[in-house]
Amino acid sequence: MKPAPFEYAAPDTIDEAIHVISQNDPDEVKILAGGQSLMPLLNMRLARPQLLLDLSRVRELAYIRELDAGVAIGAMTTKRDLEESPLIRERHPLFHAATRLIGHPQIRNRGTVGGSFAQADPAAEYPAVALALDIEIVAQGAGGTRRIAADDFFITYLTTALEPGEILTEIRVPELPAGTGWSFQELARRHGDFALVGATVTLRLEAGRCSDPRIVVFGVVDRATRFAEAEALVAGQPAEPATFERAAAQVAESIEDPLSDVHGSGEYRRDLARVLTQRALVEAAGRAN
Ligand SMILES: Cc1cc2nc3c(=O)[nH]c(=O)nc-3n(C[C@H](O)[C@H](O)[C@H](O)COP(=O)(O)OP(=O)(O)OC[C@H]3O[C@@H](n4cnc5c(N)ncnc54)[C@H](O)[C@@H]3O)c2cc1C
């Protein structure tokens, strides 16, 4: 199929992009980044914007920059750039590992960081990474710039806290405390497919006891989700199998209405969430310190 007719603009700078949006009805503008998710939607006419605003010429949005305590990544940075970045591999190995699980090299060559955050697919890796690493999202619009915590950014299936007309310009990844262990687990039917379910964990160990655990599961409800009750069962407890089994069982119990489709029933996904959480806890504890 071919897309419905649309106007097209390809600005060179963020300011120009925001100006173009301000000259149009923001609800009728669709931002084009790598096109890996949007192009199929346009072709199937599930998206029918009046104006397609292509950010591919906005080079000021493609960067990976070291901050005092973390890394800033421009929205138009491709997944391939992240995968190849020594800074990301060394300082944010969880982010690096998750990036390598996204689609195929062709997808990672074109697909951008901002595109995956804005798309907010419940089975995508980056929203889970964002919750696990406490990433901050920077958005710019006619009204100025604002920063949104990952916890507040992903609302539901394909829906974020971005307002119509706002451009996601940057994500800011804070430095993990020294000694933090991490794990990123997922199961996909074939290499390169979206995950059926995934789990990611960060935690630290203090005298053999777990501290500051973060447990995030994706692909099982309408968005990547942190499991506070399961985290509470891990915090302060010995890093041993019984602790991790209890927390993983709690994750499964907390999932109210698991997604169900031709690839896997809700009950299968719920159980997969338990299994992957347990594996992630064990691996993260093994990597801590
Ligand atoms: C075969 C295939 C397999 C894939 N497998 C995976 C996978 O395993 N895991 C995974 O996570 N993804 C997967 N994807 C999706 C891929 O990662 C996309 O790159 C990503 O979802 C969107 O990034 P994009 O840059 O292509 O954005 P686009 O497709 O251009 O845009 C996606 C959405 O985000 C909006 N948007 C983009 N940039 C901005 C911005 N800066 N500010 C505001 N809004 C913006 C667009 O308007 C659109 O609504 C797959 C895609 C394909 C085709």
Side-chain angles (χ1 to χ4, degrees), residues 173-229:
V173 192
E175 194 79 62
L176 276 180
T180 301
W182 63 273
S183 176
F184 196 95
Q185 304 276 335
E186 70 172 45
L187 186 86
R189 289 182 68 237
R190 292 171 306 190
H191 172 71
D193 279 5
F194 272 101
L196 271 173
V197 175
T200 179
V201 165
T202 61
L203 57 78
R204 286 186 295 131
L205 291 182
E206 283 168 11
R209 290 181 178 268
C210 304
S211 77
D212 295 331
R214 279 181 172 249
I215 300 175
V216 180
V217 173
F218 62 101
V220 80
V221 292
D222 62 341
R223 59 184 161 144
T225 309
R226 255 184 94 178
F227 287 85
E229 284 177 53

Side-chain angles (χ1 to χ4, degrees), residues 256-278:
E256 274 179 12
D257 191 13
L259 298 172
S260 178
D261 59 23
V262 288
H263 304 302
S265 68
E267 283 318 301
Y268 176 69
R269 281 192 159 89
R270 186 201 300 279
D271 200 47
L272 202 47
R274 180 186 63 76
V275 170
L276 295 178
T277 300
Q278 192 168 336

Side-chain angles (χ1 to χ4, degrees), residues 99-156:
T99 301
R100 290 179 57 82
L101 293 170
I102 298 176
H104 302 278
Q106 293 88 335
I107 309 292
R108 300 198 291 275
N109 275 337
R110 301 285 310 176
T112 65
V113 173
S116 282
F117 273 66
Q119 180 71 7
D121 191 301
E125 286 79 3
Y126 280 174
V129 171
L131 295 178
L133 297 183
D134 204 14
I135 287 175
E136 199 174 49
I137 293 101
V138 183
Q140 206 172 321
T145 300
R146 65 186 180 117
R147 294 179 175 196
I148 309 159
D151 279 337
D152 301 324
F153 186 75
F154 301 101
I155 310 280
T156 182

Side-chain angles (χ1 to χ4, degrees), residues 30-31 33-38 79 103 111-112 116 119 124-125 168 194:
K30 203 77 187 138
I31 291 166
Q36 299 302 295
S37 297
L38 185 55
K79 284 140 194 155
T112 65
S116 282
Q119 180 71 7
E125 286 79 3
L168 191 164
F194 272 101

Side-chain angles (χ1 to χ4, degrees), residues 8-12 32-34 53-59 62 76 110:
Y8 175 81
D12 293 312
L32 176 68
L53 185 74
D54 183 352
L55 293 183
S56 60
R57 289 198 192 148
V58 185
R59 298 312 303 159
M76 288 301 287
R110 301 285 310 176

